[in-house]
Amino acid sequence: MKELDWANLSFGYMKTDYNVRCNYRDGKWGEIEVSSDEYLNLHMAATCLHYGQEAFEGMKAYRCPDGKVRVFRMDENAARLQSTCRGIMMPEVSTELFEEMVKKVVRLNQEYIPTYESGATLYIRPLLIGTSAQVGVHPASEYCFLIFVTPVGPYFKGGFASNPYVIVRDYDRAAPLGTGTYKVGGNYAASLKANAIAHEKGYASEFYLDSKEKKYVDECGAANFFGIKNNTYVTPKSTSILPSITNKSLMQIAEDLGLKVERRPVPEEELDTFEEAGACGTAAVISPISYLDDLDTGKRYNFGEKPGPWSKKLYDTLRGIQYGTIEDKHGWTTVVIE
Ligand SMILES: *Cc1c(COP(=O)(O)O)cnc(C)c1O
Protein backbone atom coordinates (compact mmCIF):
# COMPACT_ATOMS: atom_id res chain seq x y z
CA MET A 1 0.00 0.00 0.00
CA LYS A 2 1.16 3.54 -0.70
CA GLU A 3 2.47 5.50 2.28
CA LEU A 4 0.13 8.45 2.17
CA ASP A 5 -1.55 10.70 4.73
CA TRP A 6 -4.96 9.18 3.91
CA ALA A 7 -6.87 10.82 6.77
CA ASN A 8 -6.01 14.29 5.49
CA LEU A 9 -7.01 13.74 1.89
CA SER A 10 -9.79 15.94 0.58
CA PHE A 11 -12.50 15.01 -1.93
CA GLY A 12 -10.09 15.90 -4.71
CA TYR A 13 -8.46 14.11 -7.59
CA MET A 14 -5.28 12.13 -7.22
CA LYS A 15 -3.68 10.26 -10.07
CA THR A 16 -3.77 6.47 -9.69
CA ASP A 17 -2.05 3.92 -11.91
CA TYR A 18 -4.84 2.71 -14.19
CA ASN A 19 -8.28 3.38 -15.57
CA VAL A 20 -10.42 0.98 -17.58
CA ARG A 21 -12.25 1.79 -20.79
CA CYS A 22 -14.65 0.24 -23.22
CA ASN A 23 -15.80 1.69 -26.53
CA TYR A 24 -19.13 1.33 -28.28
CA ARG A 25 -18.88 1.21 -32.06
CA ASP A 26 -20.96 -0.34 -34.87
CA GLY A 27 -23.79 -1.02 -32.45
CA LYS A 28 -21.82 -2.99 -29.85
CA TRP A 29 -19.47 -2.72 -26.90
CA GLY A 30 -15.85 -3.77 -27.53
CA GLU A 31 -13.19 -5.29 -25.28
CA ILE A 32 -12.21 -3.83 -21.91
CA GLU A 33 -8.97 -1.85 -22.20
CA VAL A 34 -6.62 -0.94 -19.38
CA SER A 35 -5.04 2.49 -19.68
CA SER A 36 -2.58 4.53 -17.65
CA ASP A 37 -3.38 7.68 -19.61
CA GLU A 38 -5.37 10.31 -17.70
CA TYR A 39 -6.40 12.01 -20.93
CA LEU A 40 -8.92 11.24 -23.64
CA ASN A 41 -8.30 11.76 -27.30
CA LEU A 42 -11.63 13.25 -28.21
CA HIS A 43 -13.17 14.64 -31.38
CA MET A 44 -13.97 18.33 -30.99
CA ALA A 45 -17.51 17.73 -32.28
CA ALA A 46 -18.21 14.88 -29.82
CA THR A 47 -21.80 15.03 -28.53
CA CYS A 48 -20.68 14.97 -24.88
CA LEU A 49 -19.03 18.35 -25.38
CA HIS A 50 -21.89 20.05 -27.20
CA TYR A 51 -25.13 18.39 -26.29
CA GLY A 52 -24.48 17.00 -22.83
CA GLN A 53 -24.45 13.30 -23.72
CA GLU A 54 -22.66 12.51 -20.49
CA ALA A 55 -23.60 10.29 -17.57
CA PHE A 56 -21.67 9.34 -14.47
CA GLU A 57 -21.91 7.25 -11.33
CA GLY A 58 -20.28 7.48 -7.92
CA MET A 59 -19.40 4.65 -5.56
CA LYS A 60 -16.68 3.60 -3.16
CA ALA A 61 -14.42 0.66 -2.33
CA TYR A 62 -13.93 0.09 1.40
CA ARG A 63 -10.88 -1.53 2.98
CA CYS A 64 -12.50 -3.38 5.85
CA PRO A 65 -11.25 -4.38 9.31
CA ASP A 66 -11.21 -8.06 8.21
CA GLY A 67 -8.66 -7.11 5.54
CA LYS A 68 -11.07 -7.55 2.60
CA VAL A 69 -12.06 -4.84 0.14
CA ARG A 70 -15.79 -4.44 -0.47
CA VAL A 71 -17.96 -2.42 -2.82
CA PHE A 72 -21.59 -1.61 -2.06
CA ARG A 73 -24.60 -2.41 -4.29
CA MET A 74 -22.80 -1.98 -7.62
CA ASP A 75 -25.72 -3.68 -9.39
CA GLU A 76 -27.80 -0.67 -8.32
CA ASN A 77 -25.28 1.75 -9.80
CA ALA A 78 -25.34 -0.28 -13.03
CA ALA A 79 -29.15 -0.18 -13.11
CA ARG A 80 -29.19 3.57 -12.48
CA LEU A 81 -26.66 4.16 -15.27
CA GLN A 82 -28.88 2.08 -17.58
CA SER A 83 -31.83 4.28 -16.65
CA THR A 84 -29.75 7.39 -17.37
CA CYS A 85 -28.75 5.89 -20.75
CA ARG A 86 -32.40 5.42 -21.68
CA GLY A 87 -33.08 8.99 -20.53
CA ILE A 88 -30.51 10.68 -22.75
CA MET A 89 -30.37 8.27 -25.68
CA MET A 90 -27.12 6.44 -25.00
CA PRO A 91 -26.51 2.70 -25.39
CA GLU A 92 -26.87 0.81 -22.09
CA VAL A 93 -23.87 -0.72 -20.35
CA SER A 94 -24.84 -4.19 -19.15
CA THR A 95 -24.67 -4.92 -15.43
CA GLU A 96 -22.14 -7.66 -16.20
CA LEU A 97 -19.77 -5.31 -18.09
CA PHE A 98 -20.21 -2.61 -15.45
CA GLU A 99 -19.38 -4.96 -12.56
CA GLU A 100 -16.43 -6.54 -14.36
CA MET A 101 -14.92 -3.10 -15.02
CA VAL A 102 -15.47 -1.94 -11.42
CA LYS A 103 -13.72 -5.03 -10.04
CA LYS A 104 -10.89 -4.68 -12.52
CA VAL A 105 -10.15 -1.02 -11.83
CA VAL A 106 -10.26 -1.52 -8.03
CA ARG A 107 -7.92 -4.53 -8.19
CA LEU A 108 -5.51 -2.73 -10.54
CA ASN A 109 -5.26 0.21 -8.15
CA GLN A 110 -5.28 -1.62 -4.83
CA GLU A 111 -2.20 0.27 -3.65
CA TYR A 112 -4.41 3.34 -3.49
CA ILE A 113 -7.19 1.93 -1.31
CA PRO A 114 -6.79 3.78 2.00
CA THR A 115 -6.41 2.01 5.32
CA TYR A 116 -9.53 1.22 7.35
CA GLU A 117 -8.29 3.27 10.30
CA SER A 118 -7.92 6.47 8.23
CA GLY A 119 -11.65 6.62 7.45
CA ALA A 120 -10.67 7.39 3.85
CA THR A 121 -11.93 5.32 0.89
CA LEU A 122 -11.30 4.72 -2.79
CA TYR A 123 -13.85 6.69 -4.79
CA ILE A 124 -14.95 5.00 -8.03
CA ARG A 125 -16.12 7.19 -10.89
CA PRO A 126 -17.76 5.50 -13.90
CA LEU A 127 -18.26 7.88 -16.85
CA LEU A 128 -20.11 7.39 -20.12
CA ILE A 129 -19.80 9.92 -22.96
CA GLY A 130 -20.91 10.32 -26.55
CA THR A 131 -17.68 10.51 -28.57
CA SER A 132 -18.57 10.63 -32.26
CA ALA A 133 -18.86 13.88 -34.19
CA GLN A 134 -22.30 15.37 -34.66
CA VAL A 135 -23.28 18.94 -35.44
CA GLY A 136 -27.03 18.51 -35.65
CA VAL A 137 -28.73 17.72 -32.37
CA HIS A 138 -28.76 13.93 -32.46
CA PRO A 139 -27.35 11.16 -30.29
CA ALA A 140 -23.82 10.01 -31.10
CA SER A 141 -23.19 6.66 -32.79
CA GLU A 142 -20.03 6.00 -30.75
CA TYR A 143 -19.48 6.08 -26.99
CA CYS A 144 -16.76 5.63 -24.42
CA PHE A 145 -17.44 4.09 -21.03
CA LEU A 146 -14.57 4.50 -18.62
CA ILE A 147 -13.96 4.09 -14.90
CA PHE A 148 -11.26 5.79 -12.89
CA VAL A 149 -10.63 5.72 -9.15
CA THR A 150 -9.12 8.21 -6.73
CA PRO A 151 -8.60 8.01 -2.97
CA VAL A 152 -10.77 10.45 -1.00
CA GLY A 153 -10.52 11.49 2.64
CA PRO A 154 -13.15 10.86 5.31
CA TYR A 155 -16.26 13.06 4.88
CA PHE A 156 -16.40 13.87 8.60
CA LYS A 157 -12.92 14.90 9.66
CA GLY A 158 -13.88 15.76 13.24
CA GLY A 159 -16.48 12.97 13.63
CA PHE A 160 -20.14 12.63 12.62
CA ALA A 161 -21.59 16.18 12.84
CA SER A 162 -24.53 18.34 11.75
CA ASN A 163 -24.43 21.20 9.27
CA PRO A 164 -26.70 24.09 8.19
CA TYR A 165 -28.44 24.18 4.78
CA VAL A 166 -30.28 26.97 2.95
CA ILE A 167 -33.36 26.93 0.71
CA VAL A 168 -32.78 28.56 -2.70
CA ARG A 169 -35.71 29.78 -4.80
CA ASP A 170 -33.80 31.69 -7.49
CA TYR A 171 -32.30 28.57 -9.07
CA ASP A 172 -33.62 25.14 -10.00
CA ARG A 173 -31.46 22.03 -10.23
CA ALA A 174 -33.83 20.22 -12.57
CA ALA A 175 -37.24 20.69 -14.21
CA PRO A 176 -40.23 18.54 -13.17
CA LEU A 177 -40.08 16.55 -16.42
CA GLY A 178 -36.40 17.24 -17.11
CA THR A 179 -33.31 15.19 -16.33
CA GLY A 180 -33.40 15.35 -12.52
CA THR A 181 -33.86 11.59 -12.20
CA TYR A 182 -30.76 10.92 -14.32
CA LYS A 183 -27.18 11.28 -13.13
CA VAL A 184 -25.98 13.67 -15.83
CA GLY A 185 -23.47 16.51 -15.67
CA GLY A 186 -26.00 19.05 -16.89
CA ASN A 187 -27.87 18.90 -13.58
CA TYR A 188 -24.63 19.74 -11.84
CA ALA A 189 -23.92 22.67 -14.16
CA ALA A 190 -27.37 23.98 -13.25
CA SER A 191 -26.54 23.72 -9.53
CA LEU A 192 -23.08 25.33 -9.46
CA LYS A 193 -24.29 28.89 -8.94
CA ALA A 194 -26.77 28.08 -6.16
CA ASN A 195 -24.11 25.93 -4.50
CA ALA A 196 -21.55 28.77 -4.63
CA ILE A 197 -24.06 31.21 -3.14
CA ALA A 198 -24.90 28.78 -0.31
CA HIS A 199 -21.19 28.33 0.48
CA GLU A 200 -20.57 32.09 0.36
CA LYS A 201 -23.28 32.53 2.98
CA GLY A 202 -21.73 29.91 5.24
CA TYR A 203 -24.00 26.93 4.57
CA ALA A 204 -22.92 23.37 3.83
CA SER A 205 -25.13 23.24 0.75
CA GLU A 206 -28.15 24.63 -1.06
CA PHE A 207 -31.57 23.00 -0.61
CA TYR A 208 -34.12 22.77 -3.43
CA LEU A 209 -37.88 22.93 -3.35
CA ASP A 210 -39.83 21.53 -6.31
CA SER A 211 -39.19 23.71 -9.33
CA LYS A 212 -42.83 24.05 -10.41
CA GLU A 213 -44.61 25.32 -7.30
CA LYS A 214 -41.83 25.84 -4.73
CA LYS A 215 -44.10 24.11 -2.24
CA TYR A 216 -42.52 20.70 -1.75
CA VAL A 217 -39.11 19.47 -0.65
CA ASP A 218 -36.92 18.17 -3.47
CA GLU A 219 -33.21 17.58 -2.76
CA CYS A 220 -30.36 18.87 -0.58
CA GLY A 221 -27.91 19.92 -3.29
CA ALA A 222 -26.45 16.67 -4.61
CA ALA A 223 -27.96 14.48 -1.89
CA ASN A 224 -31.44 13.17 -1.06
CA PHE A 225 -33.40 14.46 1.92
CA PHE A 226 -34.97 12.49 4.77
CA GLY A 227 -36.74 13.58 7.94
CA ILE A 228 -37.66 11.59 11.03
CA LYS A 229 -40.71 12.03 13.21
CA ASN A 230 -42.99 9.76 15.27
CA ASN A 231 -40.81 6.72 14.53
CA THR A 232 -41.19 7.30 10.81
CA TYR A 233 -38.54 7.83 8.12
CA VAL A 234 -39.97 10.27 5.59
CA THR A 235 -38.37 11.00 2.23
CA PRO A 236 -39.79 13.08 -0.63
CA LYS A 237 -41.20 11.67 -3.83
CA SER A 238 -41.06 13.85 -6.95
CA THR A 239 -40.28 13.61 -10.66
CA SER A 240 -36.99 15.52 -10.37
CA ILE A 241 -35.15 13.74 -7.55
CA LEU A 242 -32.14 11.55 -8.35
CA PRO A 243 -32.85 8.08 -6.93
CA SER A 244 -30.11 7.75 -4.31
CA ILE A 245 -28.87 4.25 -3.57
CA THR A 246 -27.92 5.40 -0.07
CA ASN A 247 -31.49 6.59 0.51
CA LYS A 248 -32.91 3.34 -0.87
CA SER A 249 -30.66 1.42 1.55
CA LEU A 250 -31.52 3.69 4.49
CA MET A 251 -35.24 3.11 3.83
CA GLN A 252 -34.65 -0.65 4.10
CA ILE A 253 -32.49 -0.28 7.22
CA ALA A 254 -35.07 2.05 8.80
CA GLU A 255 -37.68 -0.65 8.24
CA ASP A 256 -35.33 -3.32 9.62
CA LEU A 257 -34.82 -1.18 12.74
CA GLY A 258 -38.57 -0.88 13.27
CA LEU A 259 -39.28 2.55 11.78
CA LYS A 260 -42.18 3.17 9.44
CA VAL A 261 -41.09 4.41 6.02
CA GLU A 262 -42.98 6.94 3.92
CA ARG A 263 -41.95 8.10 0.45
CA ARG A 264 -44.36 10.84 -0.61
CA PRO A 265 -44.54 14.57 -1.41
CA VAL A 266 -43.28 16.57 1.60
CA PRO A 267 -44.68 20.12 1.83
CA GLU A 268 -42.21 22.76 3.09
CA GLU A 269 -44.30 23.44 6.23
CA GLU A 270 -43.89 19.82 7.28
CA LEU A 271 -40.18 20.52 7.84
CA ASP A 272 -41.23 22.11 11.14
CA THR A 273 -42.46 18.74 12.40
CA PHE A 274 -39.30 16.65 11.93
CA GLU A 275 -37.31 15.68 15.01
CA GLU A 276 -34.25 14.89 12.88
CA ALA A 277 -33.31 15.56 9.27
CA GLY A 278 -30.41 14.78 7.01
CA ALA A 279 -28.93 14.70 3.53
CA CYS A 280 -27.86 11.28 2.26
CA GLY A 281 -25.56 10.03 -0.47
CA THR A 282 -22.43 7.95 -1.09
CA ALA A 283 -20.01 10.72 -0.07
CA ALA A 284 -21.24 11.15 3.53
CA VAL A 285 -23.77 8.30 3.94
CA ILE A 286 -25.71 10.76 6.14
CA SER A 287 -24.94 14.43 6.62
CA PRO A 288 -27.31 15.49 9.42
CA ILE A 289 -28.90 18.93 9.07
CA SER A 290 -28.58 21.23 12.10
CA TYR A 291 -30.91 23.87 10.71
CA LEU A 292 -32.39 24.87 7.38
CA ASP A 293 -32.90 28.56 6.61
CA ASP A 294 -35.55 29.96 4.30
CA LEU A 295 -34.04 33.40 3.70
CA ASP A 296 -37.07 34.63 1.70
CA THR A 297 -39.47 34.12 4.61
CA GLY A 298 -36.98 34.43 7.47
CA LYS A 299 -38.05 31.00 8.70
CA ARG A 300 -35.50 28.67 10.32
CA TYR A 301 -36.21 24.94 10.67
CA ASN A 302 -34.22 23.46 13.56
CA PHE A 303 -33.22 19.79 13.72
CA GLY A 304 -30.68 19.95 16.55
CA GLU A 305 -27.06 21.03 16.89
CA LYS A 306 -25.91 17.42 17.04
CA PRO A 307 -26.96 14.33 15.05
CA GLY A 308 -30.09 12.75 16.54
CA PRO A 309 -30.30 9.14 17.77
CA TRP A 310 -31.98 7.72 14.64
CA SER A 311 -29.55 9.45 12.28
CA LYS A 312 -26.67 8.03 14.29
CA LYS A 313 -28.18 4.54 14.33
CA LEU A 314 -28.91 4.57 10.58
CA TYR A 315 -25.43 5.91 9.84
CA ASP A 316 -23.69 3.33 12.03
CA THR A 317 -25.73 0.48 10.57
CA LEU A 318 -25.12 1.36 6.93
CA ARG A 319 -21.41 1.97 7.53
CA GLY A 320 -21.20 -1.29 9.47
CA ILE A 321 -22.65 -3.18 6.49
CA GLN A 322 -20.29 -1.43 4.06
CA TYR A 323 -17.27 -2.28 6.24
CA GLY A 324 -18.36 -5.86 6.89
CA THR A 325 -18.79 -5.43 10.65
CA ILE A 326 -22.60 -5.77 10.63
CA GLU A 327 -24.32 -8.73 8.99
CA ASP A 328 -25.15 -7.97 5.35
CA LYS A 329 -28.50 -9.73 5.35
CA HIS A 330 -29.70 -8.19 2.10
CA GLY A 331 -26.55 -9.22 0.19
CA TRP A 332 -25.57 -5.66 -0.66
CA THR A 333 -21.80 -5.95 -0.61
CA THR A 334 -19.35 -7.66 -2.95
CA VAL A 335 -15.87 -8.66 -1.83
CA VAL A 336 -13.58 -7.44 -4.60
CA ILE A 337 -10.29 -8.33 -2.94
CA GLU A 338 -10.14 -11.26 -0.46
C1 LIG B 1 -25.50 10.90 -6.86
C2 LIG B 1 -26.58 11.77 -6.31
C3 LIG B 1 -27.23 11.49 -5.10
C4 LIG B 1 -26.81 10.37 -4.18
O1 LIG B 1 -26.93 9.12 -4.71
P1 LIG B 1 -26.18 7.87 -4.03
O2 LIG B 1 -26.46 6.76 -4.92
O3 LIG B 1 -26.76 7.70 -2.68
O4 LIG B 1 -24.74 8.25 -3.95
C5 LIG B 1 -28.28 12.31 -4.72
N1 LIG B 1 -28.67 13.37 -5.46
C6 LIG B 1 -28.05 13.69 -6.61
C7 LIG B 1 -28.51 14.87 -7.38
C8 LIG B 1 -26.98 12.90 -7.07
O5 LIG B 1 -26.38 13.23 -8.22
Side-chain angles (χ1 to χ4, degrees), residues 26 33 133 177 286 294 299 325 327 338:
D26 302 324
E33 295 162 26
L177 300 176
I286 289 175
D294 188 337
K299 177 77 191 162
T325 59
E327 190 203 350
E338 282 289 344

Side-chain angles (χ1 to χ4, degrees), residues 238-275:
S238 95
T239 56
S240 49
I241 293 176
L242 193 282
S244 154
I245 295 158
T246 312
N247 195 12
K248 185 174 181 178
S249 309
L250 290 172
M251 282 188 258
Q252 181 63 58
I253 292 169
E255 202 182 299
D256 295 346
L257 294 173
L259 290 173
K260 268 184 286 173
V261 174
E262 293 177 4
R263 188 168 158 265
R264 55 168 172 77
V266 177
E268 183 187 342
E269 313 79 71
E270 192 180 348
L271 289 168
D272 242 348
T273 66
F274 292 122
E275 296 144 20

Side-chain angles (χ1 to χ4, degrees), residues 72-104:
F72 185 70
R73 303 193 81 171
M74 60 176 161
D75 56 326
E76 288 285 342
N77 291 90
R80 188 168 66 191
L81 179 62
Q82 288 153 10
S83 157
T84 300
C85 287
R86 293 190 291 273
I88 64 166
M89 303 287 285
M90 304 200 288
E92 292 178 34
V93 174
S94 70
T95 303
E96 195 186 4
L97 178 60
F98 185 94
E99 294 190 351
E100 191 181 338
M101 287 175 67
V102 168
K103 288 182 203 162
K104 191 160 194 139

Side-chain angles (χ1 to χ4, degrees), residues 80 173 183 188 219 221-224 242 244-246 280-282:
R80 188 168 66 191
R173 190 189 76 90
K183 210 164 174 78
Y188 278 74
E219 283 203 75
N224 277 186
L242 193 282
S244 154
I245 295 158
T246 312
C280 60
T282 296

Side-chain angles (χ1 to χ4, degrees), residues 160-203:
F160 191 47
S162 303
N163 284 297
Y165 284 68
V166 64
I167 292 174
V168 292
R169 282 201 179 70
D170 298 343
Y171 302 93
D172 292 318
R173 190 189 76 90
L177 300 176
T179 53
T181 55
Y182 307 127
K183 210 164 174 78
V184 296
N187 297 337
Y188 278 74
S191 75
L192 290 175
K193 202 156 175 180
N195 185 259
I197 291 168
H199 283 158
E200 229 166 75
K201 293 184 171 165
Y203 297 96

Side-chain angles (χ1 to χ4, degrees), residues 107-123:
R107 287 172 186 152
L108 283 167
N109 293 290
Q110 50 183 295
E111 295 266 290
Y112 294 91
I113 310 172
T115 59
Y116 168 67
E117 293 73 23
S118 67
T121 51
L122 187 73
Y123 185 73

Side-chain angles (χ1 to χ4, degrees), residues 9-177:
L9 283 179
S10 63
F11 200 86
Y13 173 82
M14 178 193 287
K15 186 183 188 306
T16 55
D17 292 340
Y18 302 103
N19 56 82
V20 292
R21 307 175 179 204
C22 189
N23 292 304
Y24 181 91
R25 221 173 267 136
D26 302 324
K28 58 179 191 301
W29 290 101
E31 296 296 315
I32 299 171
E33 295 162 26
V34 174
S35 172
S36 48
D37 191 352
E38 290 172 278
Y39 292 87
L40 293 160
N41 190 6
L42 198 59
H43 195 289
M44 63 186 175
T47 61
C48 63
L49 299 176
H50 299 261
Y51 304 128
Q53 268 202 313
E54 183 272 0
F56 69 100
E57 276 299 326
M59 46 206 299
K60 286 173 169 179
Y62 308 86
R63 196 182 287 279
C64 303
D66 62 5
K68 297 178 182 178
V69 174
R70 289 177 173 81
V71 295
F72 185 70
R73 303 193 81 171
M74 60 176 161
D75 56 326
E76 288 285 342
N77 291 90
R80 188 168 66 191
L81 179 62
Q82 288 153 10
S83 157
T84 300
C85 287
R86 293 190 291 273
I88 64 166
M89 303 287 285
M90 304 200 288
E92 292 178 34
V93 174
S94 70
T95 303
E96 195 186 4
L97 178 60
F98 185 94
E99 294 190 351
E100 191 181 338
M101 287 175 67
V102 168
K103 288 182 203 162
K104 191 160 194 139
V105 73
V106 171
R107 287 172 186 152
L108 283 167
N109 293 290
Q110 50 183 295
E111 295 266 290
Y112 294 91
I113 310 172
T115 59
Y116 168 67
E117 293 73 23
S118 67
T121 51
L122 187 73
Y123 185 73
I124 304 168
R125 170 51 62 89
L127 175 74
L128 172 55
I129 54 174
T131 51
S132 54
Q134 193 69 261
V135 179
V137 183
H138 298 291
S141 55
E142 295 179 5
Y143 294 81
C144 174
F145 177 54
L146 73 85
I147 311 183
F148 69 80
V149 295
T150 190
V152 293
Y155 190 89
F156 296 104
K157 295 227 159 62
F160 191 47
S162 303
N163 284 297
Y165 284 68
V166 64
I167 292 174
V168 292
R169 282 201 179 70
D170 298 343
Y171 302 93
D172 292 318
R173 190 189 76 90
L177 300 176

